[in-house]
Amino acid sequence: MNTFITFYQNLGLALSLLVFATFLVAGTIKGVIGLGLPTISMGLLGLAMAPVQAAALLIIPATLTNVWQLAFGGHLRALIRRLWPLLLAIFIGTGLGILWVGMAGGPWAVRALGGALLLYALSGLALPALRVGADVEPWLGPLCGLLTGIITSATGVFVIPAVPYLQALGLSKDALVQALGLSFTVSTLALAAGLLWRGALGGGELSASLLALAPALLGMWLGQWLRQRISAVLFRRVFFIGLGALGAHLLISG
């Protein structure tokens, strides 16, 4: 508790309010489209603090909101049976990336990721939906997972290529959001293990991240409430607009 209080006393009132507002907005967006909390949080908090410090604040809210996301929807067992090769490859890829690349991919890597995400979102809005056939799933899933893990280790953002792959499986909106929760939970835990290994995730950082949990959960609840009140067609449009906004943010901010 002392480390918790000390951390936010050092931050000051203005930055503490920024942490609260950031996770409230990020949690709401995540509740609607199933992603965005790490990207938005890292982007906004990175304006006022070191990336490693922002990543440490992210661990508890990201982990618990991802667990909440994957727990609701009624498709968990079927998704685990179908997606376990992807999930295992994400964990392995993140570990290999941390060992080989580290967590300092640089602005060029973040901008490249943002550009890819923006292009994918624009194609999703303008072109027919892509579909992954059952015959390619056994090898394409692990490949996408491995690449996602390596990109996560370099940028701290775990959406490419896992999100396009999951979206191309043709899942219902609730199953897709639950599948994203599974993928992001594995990515967050692997990233937390990397921060711990680098000595950037101690008791003080974990205690401090508790402040971010309440607004993130509140935002998540608001977002899920909104998602249940929009149609599948509107959800798909919002999903791609959200992806495009995240990509543009990464491309501009780097």
Side-chain angles (χ1 to χ4, degrees), residues 139-155:
W139 63 265
L140 186 58
L143 177 61
C144 288
L146 191 66
L147 292 174
T148 299
I150 293 172
I151 292 172
T152 296
S153 69
T155 65

Side-chain angles (χ1 to χ4, degrees), residues 87-167:
L87 303 175
L88 179 61
I90 288 174
F91 196 90
I92 293 173
T94 304
L96 292 176
I98 289 170
L99 290 175
W100 294 343
V101 180
M103 297 185 201
W108 66 269
V110 178
R111 289 194 174 99
L113 183 63
L117 199 60
L118 181 58
L119 286 175
Y120 171 67
L122 292 174
S123 68
L125 289 169
L127 300 175
L130 298 175
R131 286 291 180 265
V132 170
D135 55 331
V136 301
E137 218 175 308
W139 63 265
L140 186 58
L143 177 61
C144 288
L146 191 66
L147 292 174
T148 299
I150 293 172
I151 292 172
T152 296
S153 69
T155 65
V157 179
F158 23 81
V159 293
I160 292 289
V163 169
Y165 172 79
L166 292 172
Q167 201 275 335

Side-chain angles (χ1 to χ4, degrees), residues 2-8 11 23 49-61 192 195-196 198-213:
N2 289 335
T3 55
F4 171 89
I5 295 173
T6 301
F7 181 89
Y8 286 104
L11 274 187
F23 281 98
M49 62 183 67
V52 171
Q53 189 179 35
L57 280 177
L58 178 68
I59 293 300
I60 288 180
L195 288 170
L196 187 63
R198 287 167 58 92
L201 189 63
E205 290 81 7
L206 288 174
S207 297
S209 72
L210 285 173
L211 179 67
L213 179 59

Side-chain angles (χ1 to χ4, degrees), residues 186-205:
V186 172
S187 295
T188 303
L189 293 176
L191 187 61
L195 288 170
L196 187 63
W197 180 73
R198 287 167 58 92
L201 189 63
E205 290 81 7

